[in-house]
Short mmCIF file of all heavy atoms in Angstrom, two decimals:
data_model
loop_
_atom_site.label_atom_id
_atom_site.label_comp_id
_atom_site.label_asym_id
_atom_site.label_seq_id
_atom_site.Cartn_x
_atom_site.Cartn_y
_atom_site.Cartn_z
N HIS U 170 12.96 3.72 -6.39
CA HIS U 170 12.87 2.33 -6.76
C HIS U 170 11.54 1.74 -6.23
O HIS U 170 10.84 0.98 -6.90
CB HIS U 170 13.99 1.55 -6.16
CG HIS U 170 13.95 0.10 -6.45
ND1 HIS U 170 13.30 -0.79 -5.55
CD2 HIS U 170 14.41 -0.64 -7.50
CE1 HIS U 170 13.40 -2.05 -6.08
NE2 HIS U 170 14.05 -1.95 -7.24
N ASP U 171 11.21 2.07 -4.94
CA ASP U 171 10.00 1.52 -4.41
C ASP U 171 8.79 2.14 -5.09
O ASP U 171 7.75 1.43 -5.27
CB ASP U 171 9.96 1.85 -2.87
CG ASP U 171 10.90 0.96 -2.07
OD1 ASP U 171 11.34 -0.09 -2.50
OD2 ASP U 171 11.31 1.43 -0.91
N TYR U 172 8.93 3.36 -5.42
CA TYR U 172 7.81 4.07 -6.16
C TYR U 172 7.54 3.45 -7.49
O TYR U 172 6.39 3.09 -7.87
CB TYR U 172 8.13 5.53 -6.27
CG TYR U 172 7.06 6.35 -7.00
CD1 TYR U 172 5.96 6.85 -6.28
CD2 TYR U 172 7.16 6.62 -8.39
CE1 TYR U 172 5.03 7.64 -6.91
CE2 TYR U 172 6.17 7.41 -8.96
CZ TYR U 172 5.08 7.87 -8.22
OH TYR U 172 4.19 8.62 -8.93
N TYR U 173 8.64 3.18 -8.22
CA TYR U 173 8.49 2.51 -9.52
C TYR U 173 7.90 1.20 -9.34
O TYR U 173 6.90 0.79 -10.03
CB TYR U 173 9.84 2.30 -10.13
CG TYR U 173 10.25 3.31 -11.20
CD1 TYR U 173 11.46 3.98 -11.11
CD2 TYR U 173 9.35 3.65 -12.23
CE1 TYR U 173 11.85 4.93 -12.06
CE2 TYR U 173 9.69 4.57 -13.17
CZ TYR U 173 10.94 5.21 -13.13
OH TYR U 173 11.26 6.13 -14.09
N SER U 174 8.33 0.37 -8.37
CA SER U 174 7.81 -0.95 -8.19
C SER U 174 6.38 -1.03 -7.87
O SER U 174 5.61 -1.80 -8.32
CB SER U 174 8.60 -1.68 -7.08
OG SER U 174 10.02 -1.74 -7.35
N ASN U 175 5.89 -0.13 -6.94
CA ASN U 175 4.56 -0.11 -6.47
C ASN U 175 3.61 0.52 -7.54
O ASN U 175 2.50 0.07 -7.70
CB ASN U 175 4.45 0.74 -5.24
CG ASN U 175 4.99 -0.03 -4.03
OD1 ASN U 175 4.70 -1.17 -3.79
ND2 ASN U 175 5.75 0.62 -3.23
N SER U 176 4.14 1.45 -8.33
CA SER U 176 3.37 2.14 -9.34
C SER U 176 3.10 1.22 -10.51
O SER U 176 2.09 1.45 -11.18
CB SER U 176 3.98 3.37 -9.82
OG SER U 176 4.16 4.38 -8.81
N MET U 177 3.87 0.22 -10.78
CA MET U 177 3.66 -0.58 -11.90
C MET U 177 2.63 -1.74 -11.58
O MET U 177 2.34 -2.56 -12.47
CB MET U 177 4.98 -1.27 -12.39
CG MET U 177 5.98 -0.22 -12.85
SD MET U 177 5.20 0.77 -14.20
CE MET U 177 6.48 2.05 -14.50
N ARG U 178 2.22 -1.82 -10.34
CA ARG U 178 1.21 -2.87 -9.97
C ARG U 178 -0.10 -2.51 -10.66
O ARG U 178 -0.40 -1.33 -10.89
CB ARG U 178 1.06 -2.96 -8.44
CG ARG U 178 2.23 -3.44 -7.75
CD ARG U 178 1.95 -3.56 -6.26
NE ARG U 178 1.51 -2.33 -5.74
CZ ARG U 178 1.02 -2.09 -4.46
NH1 ARG U 178 0.88 -3.20 -3.79
NH2 ARG U 178 0.62 -1.02 -4.09
N PRO U 179 -1.01 -3.48 -10.90
CA PRO U 179 -2.38 -3.14 -11.41
C PRO U 179 -3.09 -2.20 -10.42
O PRO U 179 -2.82 -2.27 -9.18
CB PRO U 179 -3.14 -4.46 -11.44
CG PRO U 179 -1.94 -5.51 -11.45
CD PRO U 179 -0.82 -4.91 -10.75
N GLU U 180 -3.97 -1.39 -10.98
CA GLU U 180 -4.72 -0.42 -10.06
C GLU U 180 -5.57 -1.16 -9.07
O GLU U 180 -6.15 -2.19 -9.42
CB GLU U 180 -5.69 0.45 -10.94
CG GLU U 180 -4.89 1.45 -11.83
CD GLU U 180 -4.33 2.60 -10.98
OE1 GLU U 180 -4.76 2.78 -9.85
OE2 GLU U 180 -3.48 3.20 -11.37
N LEU U 181 -5.62 -0.63 -7.88
CA LEU U 181 -6.45 -1.23 -6.88
C LEU U 181 -7.96 -0.86 -7.20
O LEU U 181 -8.25 0.10 -7.73
CB LEU U 181 -6.14 -0.59 -5.51
CG LEU U 181 -4.74 -0.87 -5.00
CD1 LEU U 181 -4.52 -0.18 -3.69
CD2 LEU U 181 -4.44 -2.39 -4.76
N ARG U 182 -8.76 -1.85 -6.77
CA ARG U 182 -10.25 -1.63 -7.04
C ARG U 182 -10.71 -0.45 -6.18
O ARG U 182 -10.23 -0.24 -5.14
CB ARG U 182 -11.07 -2.88 -6.74
CG ARG U 182 -10.81 -3.94 -7.80
CD ARG U 182 -11.64 -5.10 -7.44
NE ARG U 182 -11.29 -5.75 -6.18
CZ ARG U 182 -12.00 -6.54 -5.50
NH1 ARG U 182 -13.10 -7.04 -6.01
NH2 ARG U 182 -11.64 -7.01 -4.28
N GLY U 183 -11.77 0.14 -6.56
CA GLY U 183 -12.37 1.20 -5.77
C GLY U 183 -11.71 2.52 -5.90
O GLY U 183 -10.83 2.80 -6.81
N ASN U 184 -11.83 3.41 -4.94
CA ASN U 184 -11.21 4.75 -4.90
C ASN U 184 -10.06 4.84 -3.95
O ASN U 184 -9.96 5.80 -3.17
CB ASN U 184 -12.32 5.82 -4.55
CG ASN U 184 -13.41 5.82 -5.52
OD1 ASN U 184 -13.21 5.70 -6.75
ND2 ASN U 184 -14.66 5.95 -5.14
N ALA U 185 -9.25 3.85 -3.94
CA ALA U 185 -8.10 3.79 -3.00
C ALA U 185 -7.10 4.97 -3.37
O ALA U 185 -6.85 5.25 -4.51
CB ALA U 185 -7.32 2.53 -3.09
N LEU U 186 -6.71 5.70 -2.30
CA LEU U 186 -5.86 6.84 -2.55
C LEU U 186 -4.45 6.44 -2.94
O LEU U 186 -3.98 5.33 -2.61
CB LEU U 186 -5.79 7.61 -1.24
CG LEU U 186 -7.04 8.43 -0.85
CD1 LEU U 186 -6.82 9.05 0.52
CD2 LEU U 186 -7.39 9.47 -1.87
N PRO U 187 -3.75 7.36 -3.64
CA PRO U 187 -2.34 7.06 -3.98
C PRO U 187 -1.45 6.90 -2.67
O PRO U 187 -0.36 6.31 -2.86
CB PRO U 187 -1.91 8.30 -4.66
CG PRO U 187 -3.13 8.98 -5.14
CD PRO U 187 -4.18 8.62 -4.13
N PHE U 188 -1.91 7.30 -1.54
CA PHE U 188 -1.08 7.08 -0.34
C PHE U 188 -0.73 5.67 -0.13
O PHE U 188 0.27 5.32 0.40
CB PHE U 188 -1.87 7.58 0.94
CG PHE U 188 -1.99 9.11 1.00
CD1 PHE U 188 -3.18 9.62 1.18
CD2 PHE U 188 -0.89 9.87 0.94
CE1 PHE U 188 -3.35 11.02 1.22
CE2 PHE U 188 -1.00 11.22 1.17
CZ PHE U 188 -2.26 11.78 1.24
N CYS U 189 -1.52 4.74 -0.60
CA CYS U 189 -1.34 3.29 -0.37
C CYS U 189 -0.09 2.77 -1.17
O CYS U 189 0.37 1.65 -0.94
CB CYS U 189 -2.52 2.43 -0.67
SG CYS U 189 -2.98 2.40 -2.37
N MET U 190 0.43 3.58 -2.01
CA MET U 190 1.66 3.25 -2.67
C MET U 190 2.92 3.58 -2.07
O MET U 190 4.02 3.27 -2.48
CB MET U 190 1.65 3.80 -4.13
CG MET U 190 0.65 3.17 -5.07
SD MET U 190 0.64 3.78 -6.71
CE MET U 190 -0.04 5.41 -6.49
N GLN U 191 2.77 4.31 -0.90
CA GLN U 191 3.97 4.63 -0.16
C GLN U 191 4.58 3.47 0.54
O GLN U 191 3.83 2.65 1.13
CB GLN U 191 3.68 5.74 0.87
CG GLN U 191 3.33 7.07 0.31
CD GLN U 191 3.36 8.16 1.24
OE1 GLN U 191 4.43 8.25 1.94
NE2 GLN U 191 2.46 9.05 1.37
N PRO U 192 5.87 3.24 0.41
CA PRO U 192 6.48 2.16 1.09
C PRO U 192 6.20 2.01 2.58
O PRO U 192 5.89 1.02 3.02
CB PRO U 192 8.02 2.39 0.87
CG PRO U 192 8.06 3.23 -0.33
CD PRO U 192 6.83 4.12 -0.30
N GLU U 193 6.10 3.20 3.29
CA GLU U 193 5.92 3.17 4.72
C GLU U 193 4.44 2.70 4.94
O GLU U 193 4.16 2.02 5.90
CB GLU U 193 6.17 4.46 5.38
CG GLU U 193 5.37 5.62 4.71
CD GLU U 193 5.57 6.90 5.47
OE1 GLU U 193 6.34 6.91 6.44
OE2 GLU U 193 4.98 7.89 5.00
N PHE U 194 3.56 3.14 4.08
CA PHE U 194 2.16 2.82 4.24
C PHE U 194 1.92 1.33 3.97
O PHE U 194 1.17 0.70 4.70
CB PHE U 194 1.33 3.66 3.31
CG PHE U 194 -0.17 3.33 3.47
CD1 PHE U 194 -0.92 3.89 4.47
CD2 PHE U 194 -0.79 2.53 2.57
CE1 PHE U 194 -2.33 3.62 4.51
CE2 PHE U 194 -2.11 2.17 2.60
CZ PHE U 194 -2.84 2.75 3.68
N CYS U 195 2.55 0.79 2.92
CA CYS U 195 2.32 -0.60 2.63
C CYS U 195 2.82 -1.52 3.69
O CYS U 195 2.15 -2.49 4.04
CB CYS U 195 3.07 -0.93 1.32
SG CYS U 195 2.44 -0.11 -0.16
N SER U 196 3.96 -1.22 4.36
CA SER U 196 4.40 -2.05 5.40
C SER U 196 3.53 -1.92 6.68
O SER U 196 3.27 -2.93 7.29
CB SER U 196 5.90 -1.60 5.81
OG SER U 196 5.85 -0.28 6.29
N PHE U 197 2.87 -0.76 6.84
CA PHE U 197 1.96 -0.64 7.98
C PHE U 197 0.75 -1.46 7.63
O PHE U 197 0.19 -2.17 8.53
CB PHE U 197 1.55 0.82 8.12
CG PHE U 197 0.36 1.06 8.98
CD1 PHE U 197 0.50 1.07 10.31
CD2 PHE U 197 -0.89 1.29 8.39
CE1 PHE U 197 -0.63 1.23 11.13
CE2 PHE U 197 -1.99 1.56 9.21
CZ PHE U 197 -1.87 1.52 10.59
N GLU U 198 0.24 -1.41 6.39
CA GLU U 198 -0.95 -2.19 6.07
C GLU U 198 -0.73 -3.67 6.26
O GLU U 198 -1.61 -4.35 6.78
CB GLU U 198 -1.23 -1.90 4.60
CG GLU U 198 -2.58 -2.49 4.13
CD GLU U 198 -2.86 -2.09 2.65
OE1 GLU U 198 -1.95 -2.03 1.91
OE2 GLU U 198 -4.04 -1.90 2.34
N LYS U 199 0.51 -4.19 5.95
CA LYS U 199 0.77 -5.58 6.20
C LYS U 199 0.78 -5.88 7.68
O LYS U 199 0.29 -6.94 8.08
CB LYS U 199 2.13 -5.97 5.54
CG LYS U 199 2.09 -5.92 3.98
CD LYS U 199 3.53 -6.08 3.46
CE LYS U 199 3.48 -5.93 1.99
NZ LYS U 199 4.84 -6.01 1.41
N ALA U 200 1.27 -4.96 8.45
CA ALA U 200 1.33 -5.18 9.91
C ALA U 200 -0.04 -5.28 10.54
O ALA U 200 -0.39 -6.10 11.34
CB ALA U 200 2.14 -4.19 10.60
N GLU U 201 -0.90 -4.31 9.98
CA GLU U 201 -2.32 -4.35 10.51
C GLU U 201 -3.00 -5.63 10.16
O GLU U 201 -3.81 -6.12 10.88
CB GLU U 201 -3.10 -3.14 9.74
CG GLU U 201 -2.63 -1.78 10.26
CD GLU U 201 -3.01 -1.61 11.73
OE1 GLU U 201 -4.20 -1.50 12.06
OE2 GLU U 201 -2.13 -1.43 12.54
N THR U 202 -2.73 -6.19 8.89
CA THR U 202 -3.35 -7.47 8.47
C THR U 202 -2.86 -8.54 9.38
O THR U 202 -3.69 -9.40 9.82
CB THR U 202 -2.95 -7.75 7.02
OG1 THR U 202 -3.38 -6.67 6.23
CG2 THR U 202 -3.68 -9.01 6.59
N ARG U 203 -1.63 -8.55 9.78
CA ARG U 203 -1.11 -9.63 10.66
C ARG U 203 -1.80 -9.71 11.97
O ARG U 203 -2.07 -10.76 12.52
CB ARG U 203 0.47 -9.47 10.82
CG ARG U 203 1.24 -9.95 9.63
CD ARG U 203 2.63 -10.12 10.06
NE ARG U 203 3.23 -8.87 10.66
CZ ARG U 203 3.88 -7.98 9.93
NH1 ARG U 203 3.98 -8.12 8.55
NH2 ARG U 203 4.41 -6.98 10.45
N ILE U 204 -2.13 -8.56 12.49
CA ILE U 204 -2.72 -8.57 13.84
C ILE U 204 -4.23 -8.55 13.81
O ILE U 204 -4.91 -8.48 14.81
CB ILE U 204 -2.30 -7.28 14.75
CG1 ILE U 204 -2.68 -5.99 14.05
CG2 ILE U 204 -0.76 -7.38 14.95
CD1 ILE U 204 -2.39 -4.72 14.91
N GLN U 205 -4.78 -8.64 12.61
CA GLN U 205 -6.22 -8.80 12.41
C GLN U 205 -7.07 -7.67 13.06
O GLN U 205 -8.08 -7.84 13.68
CB GLN U 205 -6.70 -10.12 12.91
CG GLN U 205 -6.11 -11.28 12.17
CD GLN U 205 -6.41 -11.32 10.70
OE1 GLN U 205 -7.59 -11.26 10.31
NE2 GLN U 205 -5.47 -11.54 9.81
N GLU U 206 -6.57 -6.44 12.98
CA GLU U 206 -7.27 -5.29 13.57
C GLU U 206 -8.42 -4.89 12.65
O GLU U 206 -8.25 -4.78 11.46
CB GLU U 206 -6.34 -4.10 13.79
CG GLU U 206 -7.08 -2.89 14.34
CD GLU U 206 -6.20 -1.70 14.54
OE1 GLU U 206 -4.94 -1.89 14.32
OE2 GLU U 206 -6.62 -0.65 14.93
N PRO U 207 -9.64 -4.85 13.10
CA PRO U 207 -10.78 -4.45 12.22
C PRO U 207 -10.55 -3.06 11.74
O PRO U 207 -10.25 -2.10 12.43
CB PRO U 207 -12.03 -4.61 13.16
CG PRO U 207 -11.48 -4.40 14.56
CD PRO U 207 -10.10 -5.06 14.49
#
């Protein structure tokens, strides 16, 4: 279900890897954004 939901989003700009569509990765990315880590 998560894969379907994420895969239907518009393509990310640049050469972003498919890894960014993993549910665990997306939640990590949001956490990184919250703490403003460079």
Side-chain angles (χ1 to χ4, degrees):
H170 177 268
D171 289 338
Y172 180 83
Y173 260 131
S174 299
N175 288 313
S176 295
M177 294 306 172
R178 293 182 305 170
E180 289 289 341
L181 296 175
R182 290 181 299 168
N184 298 319
L186 288 176
F188 288 124
C189 67
M190 288 184 287
Q191 292 197 46
E193 59 175 358
F194 178 81
C195 291
S196 62
F197 167 79
E198 187 177 35
K199 291 173 184 176
E201 290 293 293
T202 302
R203 283 197 301 270
I204 62 175
Q205 299 296 310
E206 180 179 356

